[in-house]
Amino acid sequence: MTGSTNASIDHVLGELSVETFLRDYWQKKPVLIRGAFPGFESPIAPEELAGLACEADAPSRLILEHGDERDWQLKMGPFTEEDFRNLPDDGYSLLVTDCEKLVPELMEVVEQFRFVPDWRIDDLMISYAPPGGSVGAHIDDYDVFLLQAHGQRRWQIENPPVHTAYREGLDVRILTDFAPTEEWVLEPGDMLYLPPGIPHHGVAVDDCMTWSIGFRAPTQADLVGGVCDRLATLAPEERYRDPDLKVGDNPGELDPATRQRLREWVLETMTADANQLDRLIAETLTERPVDHADLYPRYHDEEIVGILDHLHEISELQRTPASRWLLLEPNGDDPGHLCIDGQSHELDAESLPLARFLTQHVHVPGEALAERASNASARILLEKILTAGQLLIPDEDEE
């Protein structure tokens, strides 16, 4: 990779403070931030992005404005060199999602957006388009920061939204009508924030790469479904019994008395106190939609013992980019939990400082980690995390 992300800046909101941004813009209205990443140079060239799209683990797409089968044709990766050789000179876009999970160094950019809670951050998508390329006018259901990484892109938005209907029969969602109210040309380092529901259209002015930092918001159905799935695993294996069964008028009817009994039986398993419900929600929110486990080193038992015994000698460990972490602080009689990738670890007074430290930072110095894992309880927790492949040593990952 080449270039520099210049990710050591204080924050990426320009003259806006984080407090002002969250109060006035987050999920409310768009804002253009010039020079969000001053001097930004993409560490990934277009050719390297194309190479990434050829890998089986990279979720990638090609959108052809005038495809060989229909307009706005969508092709899914992984791709081959032949696929790219056969592309037209213009009228296409290449998109690769989960880039920070595929290239852990790119977490340096994603980290700059942790003024939004971790559980809301989804992924970094990188797109490339030749001059005139776009994915059409559309609406996203999620918040997104559009960082210009290479070349120029002209962005247009329709705010307030007027047109929300989509053309039928296409592979991708393209608005039937779009009447822009504002437009800007973004240079490398410039960034446009869009809340959900704003119609927008980006067109490459020249060879263009755009980085999209997207945020996730679970649907109520997804969250309830995940919690109920977990409640079901906690339900006893006791089978239904009806020793007081009586003859009914219609054997095909679910009679009122049985309905009442079954309702109560189901509701028994769905009764959870606030702390248990919080834990089930946190487990659901931290589930990995895609594992990506094969991308990262997994340490053998002997290696883990060596890491634990020599933490103070390791310059840095990094949270595995694909993993999702949430801390539940102690509450009343509940000791607190560290939830990672859909699983929860019960904490105690000795392991809580370690859990707090690990959730506050993506990159952790080995010496600071050693201080917080010096007791038996914290060491056991850290051993479980290393065994699960949720922390890595960046140098080994690069090798």
Side-chain angles (χ1 to χ4, degrees):
M1 296 195 306
T2 59
S4 170
T5 62
N6 194 15
S8 61
I9 55 181
D10 291 337
H11 66 75
V12 295
L13 298 175
E15 296 180 356
L16 290 175
S17 68
V18 170
E19 292 76 15
T20 299
F21 171 78
L22 294 177
R23 184 191 67 212
D24 296 342
Y25 296 97
W26 175 254
Q27 296 225 310
K28 301 175 188 71
K29 59 183 179 181
V31 61
L32 174 66
I33 302 167
R34 294 288 187 188
F37 284 78
F40 187 91
E41 296 179 30
S42 175
I44 292 183
E47 297 79 12
E48 292 173 309
L49 185 68
L52 201 59
C54 294
E55 297 183 9
D57 291 316
S60 56
R61 296 168 287 164
L62 271 170
I63 296 176
L64 304 171
E65 187 169 352
H66 303 291
D68 49 8
E69 299 178 9
R70 55 194 166 275
D71 286 349
W72 296 109
Q73 184 178 351
L74 173 66
K75 295 185 177 182
M76 304 299 293
F79 299 104
T80 65
E81 293 183 9
E82 185 70 17
D83 291 324
F84 291 113
R85 281 195 291 267
N86 292 333
L87 283 174
D89 293 333
D90 54 23
Y92 70 88
S93 293
L94 170 66
L95 305 96
V96 181
T97 58
D98 284 345
C99 286
E100 85 290 0
K101 303 174 183 67
L102 303 167
V103 185
E105 297 92 320
L106 300 183
M107 275 298 296
E108 292 181 7
V109 170
V110 178
E111 282 182 75
Q112 300 299 314
F113 297 87
R114 294 186 73 213
F115 51 84
V116 177
D118 284 350
W119 73 270
R120 292 282 267 115
I121 298 175
D122 191 6
D123 80 321
L124 167 63
M125 181 183 76
I126 300 180
S127 66
Y128 167 80
S134 80
V135 298
H138 64 285
I139 297 173
D140 291 325
D141 297 326
Y142 50 83
D143 302 86
V144 63
F145 288 91
L146 300 163
L147 170 64
Q148 193 60 26
H150 175 77
Q152 297 177 317
R153 186 181 288 271
R154 175 175 288 104
W155 283 105
Q156 298 174 316
I157 66 171
E158 181 182 286
N159 187 37
V162 176
H163 304 100
T164 58
Y166 287 100
R167 293 171 56 181
E168 296 181 357
L170 301 180
D171 292 350
V172 294
R173 299 198 307 173
I174 305 293
L175 292 168
T176 55
D177 295 288
F178 177 68
T181 58
E182 297 178 82
E183 89 171 38
W184 310 271
V185 173
L186 270 64
E187 305 276 351
D190 294 342
M191 187 169 69
L192 176 64
Y193 164 73
L194 295 176
I198 299 294
H200 55 283
H201 187 203
V203 180
V205 176
D206 48 19
D207 276 355
C208 167
M209 292 180 69
T210 300
W211 291 22
S212 302
I213 298 90
F215 294 77
R216 62 191 180 112
T219 65
Q220 191 172 21
D222 287 341
L223 185 58
V224 171
V227 170
C228 287
D229 286 345
R230 285 174 161 75
L231 281 170
T233 65
L234 301 176
E237 293 293 330
E238 175 187 355
R239 289 195 178 275
Y240 177 75
R241 296 177 63 84
D242 49 4
D244 54 350
L245 186 64
K246 294 180 175 58
V247 176
D249 296 332
N250 179 0
E253 177 194 5
L254 192 63
D255 65 86
T258 304
R259 286 156 57 183
Q260 175 68 20
R261 176 182 290 178
L262 290 173
R263 281 199 304 269
E264 293 174 353
W265 207 41
V266 169
L267 289 172
E268 283 177 13
T269 68
M270 300 184 68
T271 302
D273 62 35
N275 288 323
Q276 184 185 45
L277 189 57
D278 287 347
R279 178 173 59 81
L280 298 178
I281 289 172
E283 289 178 0
T284 300
L285 292 175
T286 57
E287 278 189 313
R288 291 192 193 185
V290 181
D291 192 3
H292 291 308
D294 292 341
L295 297 176
Y296 311 112
R298 295 298 290 267
Y299 304 110
H300 301 299
D301 292 344
E302 298 80 3
E303 292 176 304
I304 291 173
V305 171
I307 291 172
L308 292 171
D309 289 343
H310 298 89
L311 275 174
H312 60 284
E313 299 175 11
I314 300 174
S315 60
E316 181 182 87
L317 290 89
Q318 177 184 345
R319 186 186 305 181
T320 301
S323 66
R324 293 177 167 177
W325 301 52
L326 275 178
L327 173 65
L328 296 176
E329 286 280 355
N331 182 34
D333 295 334
D334 186 83
H337 289 81
L338 174 61
C339 299
I340 312 177
D341 298 337
Q343 302 293 322
S344 58
H345 304 279
E346 185 174 308
L347 302 173
D348 57 22
E350 291 187 337
S351 58
L352 179 60
L354 173 66
R356 284 175 175 157
F357 183 67
L358 287 171
T359 51
Q360 286 171 342
H361 307 282
V362 173
H363 296 83
V364 291
E367 188 170 351
L369 199 57
E371 293 176 6
R372 292 161 177 82
S374 59
N375 60 75
S377 180
R379 182 182 172 101
I380 290 171
L381 174 61
L382 185 55
E383 182 178 3
K384 290 178 180 178
I385 292 170
L386 288 166
T387 300
Q390 293 156 340
L391 277 178
L392 57 86
I393 301 174
D395 289 341
E396 290 194 10
D397 181 64
E398 291 169 8
E399 288 173 7

